[in-house]
Amino acid sequence: MRLGFSPNTLLSPSFSSSLLLPSLVFTLSNSQLFPHSRLHLQHPLSLKTNSSGRKSAIIRVHKVDHSIESTPVNLMAPEQEFTEVNRNLYPNVEPYSTGFLKVSDIHTLYWEQSGNPNGHPVVFIHGGPGGGTGPSNRKFFDPEFYRIILFDQRGAGKSTPHACLEQNTTWDLIDDIEKLREHLQIPEWQVFGGSWGSTLGLAYSQSHPDKVTGMVLRGIFLLRKKEIDWFYEGGAAAIFPDAWESFRDLIPENERGCFVDAYKKRLNSDDVETQYAAARAWTKWEMMTAHLLPNEENIKRGDDDKFSLAFARIENHYFVNKGFLPSDSYLLDNVDKIRHINTTIVQGRYDVCCPMMSAWDLHKAWPEADFKVVADAGHSANEPGIAAELVAANEKLKNIIKNKGN
């Protein structure tokens, strides 16, 4: 593990570690911390004198933060600056209320609330589009502090009608989020979204910046042509040629000039089995590339015809229509509308589905937002390093809100 200490830093030989969150003990002489890593410190911080009379500090390092934006650790800083932020997923909690909200003459959305009914509201915006929500999505939030709202977007999850593309655009979904907020009588709330959820989270916040108290965005997807071409027209195949073959081979050679269009034809076929075959191939391609290391449980989701049909049909519908955004750079062009909102961007370095170029472009356009790059992760929010950063980002916003109340 590269810790980023200067070459002449003295390290004590003792350490202990756990599987996911290392806890290391080092002796650092003369405060010689290399400035490219921010270390999360545990109490107590103690000094000892070695045989040469030089003082050194015993520091417990909870985890290395793989952030590009970094700050040197000042050993003389006040003790409160070393307060630890929780980076562990919270235990699962069950919803205390659920319901369905009719948002159009066609569509009805499933929603649920868990955590603290009187807590700070946070809305979870799922990926896909078409992915739906699940119980594990609640674990990123402190249930004693947050009022956690999950909902399934049009056509996804428990929302009805299933896999429906009619009246299903980004602008419809933005209106739905507002209707849900008003239905639950929430004045303003925190926004949390990854992958397509980051796209919709940005679009919603840019449309209603006065309703958003903070944002946590992961696996940035700006729905630009180069991003869709990268993943669906052969770019990512350079890294996953084995997984790509099944996705490619469903389409005859004479239709491979545009895979998104070729899949649209099959996902909307009059033959149900043709739809399901295309949906399975589309979904498995994404599930096989979503983790840095293969995740069999995730890949098996591609075998679920009901899930795959909504996931593939709705994704393809949005990508064919360029996300229904007025321009390729729309989300970057409108960053000024949300620049004031406390935001953390979390990105896996080796994200193949939503490569880091998009997160980097957003970071350059929005340097005020915290930018966390997880060095040993791909796309999925469930990878240990990404999950830890997401929890920590929510904890940071929680502490900001608590301090405002003091």
Side-chain angles (χ1 to χ4, degrees), residues 94 110 124 166 251 260 281:
E94 293 301 316
Y110 167 80
F124 181 99
E166 193 176 347
I251 306 301
V260 172

Side-chain angles (χ1 to χ4, degrees), residues 17 54 99 104 118-119 144 231 237 240 269 277 333 344 346 367 382 403:
S17 65
R54 298 164 69 195
S104 79
N118 299 312
E144 293 185 4
F231 194 63
F240 284 94
S269 168
D333 293 342
T344 298
V346 177
N382 298 317
N403 289 335

Side-chain angles (χ1 to χ4, degrees), residues 93-98 111-119 146-149:
V93 290
E94 293 301 316
Y96 63 79
S97 70
T98 64
W111 60 265
E112 65 173 52
Q113 298 186 92
S114 58
N116 182 351
N118 299 312
Y146 281 110
R147 177 182 173 186
I148 307 161
I149 296 103

Side-chain angles (χ1 to χ4, degrees), residues 90-332:
Y90 283 93
N92 188 36
V93 290
E94 293 301 316
Y96 63 79
S97 70
T98 64
F100 289 88
L101 177 64
K102 191 163 183 62
V103 291
S104 79
D105 55 344
I106 295 175
H107 291 277
T108 300
L109 305 187
Y110 167 80
W111 60 265
E112 65 173 52
Q113 298 186 92
S114 58
N116 182 351
N118 299 312
H120 185 75
V122 57
V123 60
F124 181 99
I125 302 180
H126 69 68
T133 57
S136 64
N137 301 149
R138 307 168 196 143
K139 295 184 176 183
F140 297 105
F141 313 97
D142 179 354
E144 293 185 4
F145 179 82
Y146 281 110
R147 177 182 173 186
I148 307 161
I149 296 103
L150 272 58
F151 76 100
D152 293 334
Q153 296 160 31
R154 296 189 180 199
K158 298 176 184 177
S159 293
T160 59
H162 183 72
C164 177
L165 305 183
E166 193 176 347
Q167 295 181 14
N168 198 338
T169 73
T170 302
W171 307 105
D172 291 319
L173 301 187
I174 289 171
D175 288 344
D176 291 349
I177 296 172
E178 271 297 274
K179 288 173 183 174
L180 180 60
R181 184 187 62 78
E182 292 170 356
H183 175 71
L184 298 176
Q185 298 181 338
I186 294 171
E188 55 184 11
W189 52 8
Q190 187 171 311
V191 169
F192 182 103
S195 194
W196 158 256
S198 75
T199 321
L200 183 55
L202 286 166
Y204 168 77
S205 299
Q206 290 172 1
S207 298
H208 301 281
D210 58 322
K211 306 304 181 188
V212 180
T213 61
M215 280 195 284
V216 177
L217 305 174
R218 184 267 312 167
I220 301 303
F221 180 43
L222 301 176
L223 238 167
R224 296 174 294 180
K225 183 178 185 301
K226 66 180 180 180
E227 298 169 51
I228 295 170
D229 287 350
W230 158 261
F231 194 63
Y232 293 105
E233 303 298 339
I239 300 172
F240 284 94
D242 45 351
W244 174 255
E245 282 192 1
S246 297
F247 179 83
R248 179 198 66 196
D249 291 352
L250 186 82
I251 306 301
E253 287 191 24
N254 64 343
E255 292 185 60
R256 292 179 187 174
C258 181
F259 283 95
V260 172
D261 285 344
Y263 268 90
K264 176 188 176 182
K265 175 181 173 182
R266 287 155 181 81
L267 290 166
N268 295 281
S269 168
D270 292 333
D271 180 66
V272 174
E273 286 308 314
T274 299
Q275 289 184 28
Y276 283 144
R280 286 191 296 268
W282 179 285
T283 304
K284 281 196 171 184
W285 163 239
E286 184 159 335
M287 298 304 165
M288 290 175 76
T289 56
H291 288 73
L292 181 65
L293 301 176
N295 183 294
E296 290 302 321
E297 184 178 347
N298 200 52
I299 293 170
K300 285 179 182 176
R301 299 184 79 191
D303 294 325
D304 181 339
D305 284 344
K306 183 178 180 181
F307 170 80
S308 291
L309 187 62
F311 186 76
R313 281 193 85 203
I314 298 173
E315 275 200 342
N316 177 271
H317 169 67
Y318 273 75
F319 301 163
V320 165
N321 288 287
K322 301 178 177 61
F324 304 94
L325 300 176
S327 69
D328 203 50
S329 58
Y330 178 81
L331 296 175
L332 290 176

